């Protein structure tokens, strides 16, 4: 515990991030003296590779922690003194804690997604899941699903190589579960056979309109989970809800990673429902 917490976020294009207000509002409600600053590499005229300089300065300035976002989540792996076991398995860190000058890397993206599943879809089956999108968010969601009991995971991406790479990495981490790369030509069958679908591509954001798969293929009762959270209500979620499917929006993961980060940084348990309410009012 500290008297005063100085925390930051480093990455590209983060000036409009909702993470700072989430941290500050919840920390204030918990009675903590907590300040959250952003370090946008583009605005600072820095490259992704300069993230080490930002971390050095933060350490020198007495920061308690830094959240790390795109495109630095892999770069920081080489900069920390210690890596949490899950961050090491995932090979991505979105939180670095400064512990007496000792840097420890964590990954709370997958925790945020997993907690969203548990809280938001309490009665759902996670046995067979089809995931579309195998980039940064997709790696965290796949890891969360496999940690949460998915026994058969299909991974699809327009870039088939990415699906194959992620499937190979996850299969090595979860040898007793079945993880397969699904070619786009086989996507329809994968959707039809799944208890639920995770959407982890940028489709649904204003500059990527549309829906990544045919919703009419979903089984009755199949759930749909979205990672996009700008907007919160994507076309995918709107249409899935209209068809009566249980849905989980991308805000769950966004709040969940902030909740888990705040808990690791301060050692205090935040109020998840309060954080959800605050996020949805932003
Ligand atoms: P990324 O670029 O790393 O990965 C996206 C992947 O989707 C790529 O591999 C791409 O080839 C694939 N793809 C794109 N269109 C596709 C399509 N139509 N069908 C199949 N595959 C397709 O991006 P990312 O960092 O993973 O981010 C993806 C989205 O997730 C963004 O909208 C981002 O804002 C969001 N995100 C949300 C959270 C959260 O907490 N909710 C966290 C991280 C990212």
């Amino acid at each position: 515990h500290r008297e005063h917490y100085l925390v930051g976020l480093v990455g590209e294009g983060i000036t409009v991030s909702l993470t700072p207000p989430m941290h500050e509002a919840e920390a204030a409600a918990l009675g903590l003296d907590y300040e959250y600053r952003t370090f946008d590499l583009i605005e600072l005229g820095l490259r992704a590779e300069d993230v080490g300089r930002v971390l050095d300065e933060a350490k020198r300035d007495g920061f308690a922690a830094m959240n790390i976002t795109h495109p630095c989540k892999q770069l920081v792996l080489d900069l920390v003194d210690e890596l949490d076991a899950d961050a090491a398995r995932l090979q991505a860190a979105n939180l670095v804690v400064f512990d007496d000058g000792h840097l420890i890397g964590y990954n709370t993206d997958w925790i945020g997604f997993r907690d969203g599943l548990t809280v938001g879809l309490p009665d759902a089956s996670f046995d067979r899941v089809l995931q579309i999108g195998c980039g940064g968010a997709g790696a965290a969601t796949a890891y969360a699903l496999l940690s949460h009991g998915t026994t058969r995971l299909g991974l699809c991406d327009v870039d088939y190589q990415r699906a194959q790479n992620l499937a190979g990495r996850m299969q090595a981490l979860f040898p007793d579960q079945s993880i397969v790369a699904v070619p786009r030509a086989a996507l329809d069958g994968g959707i039809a056979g799944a208890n639920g679908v995770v959407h982890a591509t940028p489709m649904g954001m204003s500059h990527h309109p549309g829906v990544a798969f045919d919703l009419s293929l979903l089984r009755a009762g199949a759930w749909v989970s979205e990672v996009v959270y700008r907007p919160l209500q994507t076309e995918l979620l709107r249409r899935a809800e209209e068809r009566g499917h249980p849905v989980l929006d991308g805000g769950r993961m966004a709040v969940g990673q902030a909740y888990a980060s705040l808990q690791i940084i301060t050692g205090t348990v935040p109020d998840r429902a309060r954080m959800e309410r605050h996020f949805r009012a932003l």
Side-chain angles (χ1 to χ4, degrees), residues 1-2 5 23 26-34 258-272 274-275:
H1 291 271
R2 297 185 181 218
Y5 288 91
H23 276 251
E26 181 58 20
L30 293 168
L32 300 169
D33 179 4
Y34 195 99
Y259 173 97
S261 293
L262 190 56
Q263 178 163 8
I264 291 169
I265 295 165
T266 65
T268 304
V269 181
D271 182 328
R272 187 185 300 277
R274 185 167 59 197
M275 288 187 80

Side-chain angles (χ1 to χ4, degrees), residues 22 26 112 115-116 119-120 232 248-257 259 271-282:
M22 270 198 277
E26 181 58 20
D115 290 354
V119 177
L232 265 180
L248 203 62
D249 68 38
R252 294 278 187 167
M253 181 179 184
V255 173
Q257 61 80 20
Y259 173 97
D271 182 328
R272 187 185 300 277
R274 185 167 59 197
M275 288 187 80
E276 281 279 347
R277 284 196 301 276
H278 180 245
F279 174 80
R280 278 156 210 285
L282 284 173

Side-chain angles (χ1 to χ4, degrees), residues 73 109 132-138 156-159 162 184 200-203 205 212 227-229 250-251 253-254 257:
K73 290 182 187 182
D109 287 326
I132 306 173
C134 298
C156 188
D157 197 292
V158 277
D159 181 344
R162 281 193 171 208
R184 276 193 110 199
T201 89
M203 282 192 83
M205 301 180 81
V227 298
V228 172
Y229 63 98
M253 181 179 184
Q257 61 80 20

Side-chain angles (χ1 to χ4, degrees), residues 55-179:
L55 287 180
D56 283 344
E57 282 179 31
K59 177 176 164 176
R60 196 195 57 211
D61 293 344
F63 274 62
M66 285 286 261
N67 276 128
I68 314 293
T69 191
H70 176 79
C72 303
K73 290 182 187 182
Q74 275 84 38
L75 288 165
V76 297
L77 297 174
D78 295 328
L79 304 173
V80 296
D81 301 299
E82 193 182 327
L83 257 187
D84 160 75
D86 292 301
R89 277 158 62 83
L90 248 172
Q91 283 297 294
N94 72 325
L95 173 66
V96 171
V97 171
F98 300 92
D99 183 6
D100 267 337
H102 188 73
L103 275 60
I104 311 169
Y106 295 90
N107 188 302
T108 63
D109 287 326
W110 80 275
I111 299 174
F113 186 75
R114 180 203 60 194
D115 290 354
L117 296 177
T118 317
V119 177
L121 296 170
D123 304 318
S125 168
F126 297 101
D127 189 33
R128 297 176 65 163
V129 179
L130 193 288
Q131 175 178 308
I132 306 173
C134 298
T141 57
Y143 187 82
L145 288 164
L146 292 161
S147 302
H148 192 57
T150 296
T151 64
R152 283 198 264 176
L153 178 61
L155 296 173
C156 188
D157 197 292
V158 277
D159 181 344
Y160 185 57
Q161 188 67 49
R162 281 193 171 208
Q164 284 185 306
N165 289 346
L166 185 61
R169 281 179 53 206
M170 291 297 138
Q171 189 67 75
L173 296 175
F174 299 92
D176 300 330
Q177 289 147 268
S178 161
I179 302 121

